[in-house]
Amino acid sequence: MSTGLFDLAGRTAVVTGCNTGLGRAMALGLAQAGADIVGINRSGSADLGSEVAALGRRYVDLRADLSERGGEQALIDAAAATSGRIDILVNNAGIIRRRAAIDFSESDWDDVMELNLSAVFRLSQAAARRFVAQGRGGKIVNVASMLSFQGGVRVPSYTASKSGVLGLTRALANEWAPLGINVNAIAPGYMDTNNTAELRADAQRNDAILARIPAGRWGSPADLAGAIVFLASDAASYVHGHTLAVDGGWLAR
Ligand code: NAP
């Protein structure tokens, strides 16, 4: 197999929520494989632009609160205007709210569903329209979760949203595979980011989680680089509607 299959030179990848955590690591992985990066971020990152530049790639930072409806097509078109095209969309931005289901507030439900699921649909739709107009197909990679497969505890809206992401990934793949658009997802396991800070700070939960991970450690954001490059590349051209777990073996347990 030629490594050229994984070469992203000349491609432009749009990555949401890449100022930190998993999004940042995936943006760097894609840049390392040759892609220029357009970040769609609510807040800035001090050094992502310079790190992408150090890899010989271009980084453009667009700002948006993706919970706000209505600006998606303009955002995707602005991203495409930076290099004349987009080839890859990574729907990474996401939030979590932890509280017992019986006390869960309407806003903890709505805020999570809006960003983690509804915004993913809106941006995917905008990107697909762009891919069709460009006439070269494209790649969409959504960020799912272990809670796309499992119920979780004290995170009802997160589980609902990430289970929805898995279903949406399949639904969009079915409609868009004939258009040359690959829609897939990555389901990260328990990764060391802001999103899991509360869990890692709870010694009991931390130990229980670690004891259940066959690899014996929390994932690091860089562990996603191989999976994102694969799904964004020609190597995955016949992969449609799949959610790929990168979880240290958690789901195998
Ligand atoms: P993180 O460090 O909290 O990063 C989340 C990103 O989403 C940040 O860039 C954040 O921007 C952005 N974001 C939040 N609200 C936004 C909004 N309204 N509009 C635009 N951007 C917004 O978390 P992470 O762990 O890297 O999570 C990234 C993705 O992986 C999420 O979808 C998460 O659910 C998923 N995931 C994480 C894990 C894990 O173990 N860490 C496991 C499975 C799935 P700001 O910095 O401006 O808030």
Side-chain angles (χ1 to χ4, degrees), residues 17 19 22 42-43 65-66 92 144 158 162 189 191 193 195-196:
N19 63 331
L22 304 185
R42 192 173 53 169
S43 48
D65 180 341
L66 294 171
N92 166 76
Y158 189 79
K162 293 298 185 179
M191 316 297 282
T193 68
N195 174 293
T196 53

Side-chain angles (χ1 to χ4, degrees), residues 4 6-7 18 21 27 30-31 52 61 70 86 100 102 109 115 166 173 178-179 181 191 202 222 230 236 248:
F6 300 94
D7 185 5
C18 65
L30 291 167
V52 170
D61 190 30
I86 61 162
I102 204 151
W109 180 268
L115 180 66
L166 185 147
L179 306 177
I181 301 169
M191 316 297 282
D202 177 337
F230 166 58

Side-chain angles (χ1 to χ4, degrees), residues 135-156:
R136 281 189 302 255
K139 310 277 184 196
I140 296 176
V141 184
N142 298 323
V143 176
S145 164
M146 294 297 95
L147 300 188
S148 301
F149 304 95
Q150 302 177 313
V153 183
R154 300 179 73 245
V155 284

Side-chain angles (χ1 to χ4, degrees), residues 16-26 40-44 63-68 91-98 111-112 114-116 119-120 142-148 158 161-162 165 186-197 199-200 218-219 221 224 246:
T16 68
C18 65
N19 63 331
T20 183
L22 304 185
R24 184 174 190 285
M26 287 191 283
I40 300 181
N41 287 304
R42 192 173 53 169
S43 48
R63 291 296 165 85
D65 180 341
L66 294 171
S67 294
E68 286 173 11
N91 281 308
N92 166 76
I95 53 172
I96 192 164
R97 300 276 167 79
R98 300 180 192 278
D111 294 352
V112 171
E114 189 62 40
L115 180 66
N116 292 15
V120 169
N142 298 323
V143 176
S145 164
M146 294 297 95
L147 300 188
S148 301
Y158 189 79
S161 69
K162 293 298 185 179
V165 165
I186 292 174
Y190 285 80
M191 316 297 282
D192 180 355
T193 68
N194 301 333
N195 174 293
T196 53
L199 281 185
R200 283 177 287 110
W218 284 77
L224 297 188
V246 181

